[in-house]
Amino acid sequence: MACSSRSPLSRSVKRVIDIVGAVIALALLTPLLLAIAAAIRSTSRGPVLFAQERTGKNGKPFRLYKFRTMTGPPAFVVGKETQTDDPRITAVGRWLRRTGCDELPQLANVLRGEMSLVGPRPLLAWENALCEGREAQRLHVRPGLTGLAQVNGRNAIPWSERIAWDVVYVEQESLWLDLSILLRTIPIALFGRHAYATGAEKARPAPRIGIIEAAGECA
């Protein structure tokens, strides 16, 4: 079974990039982070941050941090994504989800070595249990703030297709691929593309991993 193609040296370089990138991002984004925290605190009751246990590299659990975007407990069911008209989403939370700024506290997870700037998005333990065979390779690398699935449809593509993109990333990962993903993430965040799933997009059939691999080579 194929695993990650990244060499130990390349992984070390990536870790240095993660640390430097996270430190610079936190320094530059501190005013924005404080403004978001103030907006959440002043417009809805509850904590500023939401913490949830996710599964990291090699199946090791860790606590993932996000800005709170809902007034009630979040729920995730495969095939039933959070919709844009969900009444639990606050006004501030709607903007945070659209831009992806709700994920910014995960820069702390990057500094702690639990996540990377680029990689498969971290899943809940029961979601990882659904990943079998080649799909389980997504646990061979640190989960990321953004990844191939996020720049190829984000929440607008079926869950199974996102997992397939994660496998493509693990099998083709490189520093150049990471740079490409980071650059492609910027316009998605700025314009809020594919933040929510729609009925038509959820119904789109997920292609086999082999089909996505061919597309991934040109992505």
Side-chain angles (χ1 to χ4, degrees), residues 183-204:
L183 293 176
R184 291 173 62 185
T185 298
I186 295 174
I188 291 174
L190 290 176
F191 297 105
R193 297 171 182 167
H194 312 308
Y196 299 94
T198 66
E201 288 161 333
K202 285 196 303 178
R204 175 181 170 191

Side-chain angles (χ1 to χ4, degrees), residues 26-63:
L26 285 170
L28 295 177
L29 296 175
T30 292
L32 175 62
L33 297 175
L34 293 176
I36 291 174
I40 294 173
R41 176 69 73 180
S42 63
T43 57
S44 63
R45 298 180 61 180
V48 169
L49 295 178
F50 166 72
Q52 186 178 58
E53 185 173 286
R54 297 292 179 97
T55 304
K57 183 178 179 181
N58 297 324
K60 183 178 180 180
F62 71 97
R63 291 186 67 77

Side-chain angles (χ1 to χ4, degrees), residues 87-164:
R88 298 172 299 168
I89 302 176
T90 66
V92 174
R94 202 170 304 280
W95 177 81
L96 291 174
R97 284 172 170 261
R98 182 174 61 82
T99 60
C101 286
D102 59 323
E103 312 286 357
L104 289 178
Q106 289 157 42
L107 288 167
N109 291 116
V110 174
L111 286 177
R112 291 166 55 169
E114 299 160 335
M115 292 181 62
S116 177
L117 294 177
V118 179
R121 287 296 297 161
L123 300 179
L124 297 167
W126 69 266
E127 293 174 318
N128 273 306
L130 299 176
C131 300
E132 300 178 341
R134 290 178 67 195
E135 293 177 344
Q137 292 184 83
R138 66 188 314 283
L139 293 179
H140 291 168
V141 299
R142 287 189 180 92
L145 277 168
T146 185
L148 268 181
Q150 284 61 55
V151 298
N152 283 288
R154 200 177 172 189
N155 291 332
I157 59 177
W159 186 82
S160 57
E161 189 174 335
R162 281 176 249 165
I163 299 300

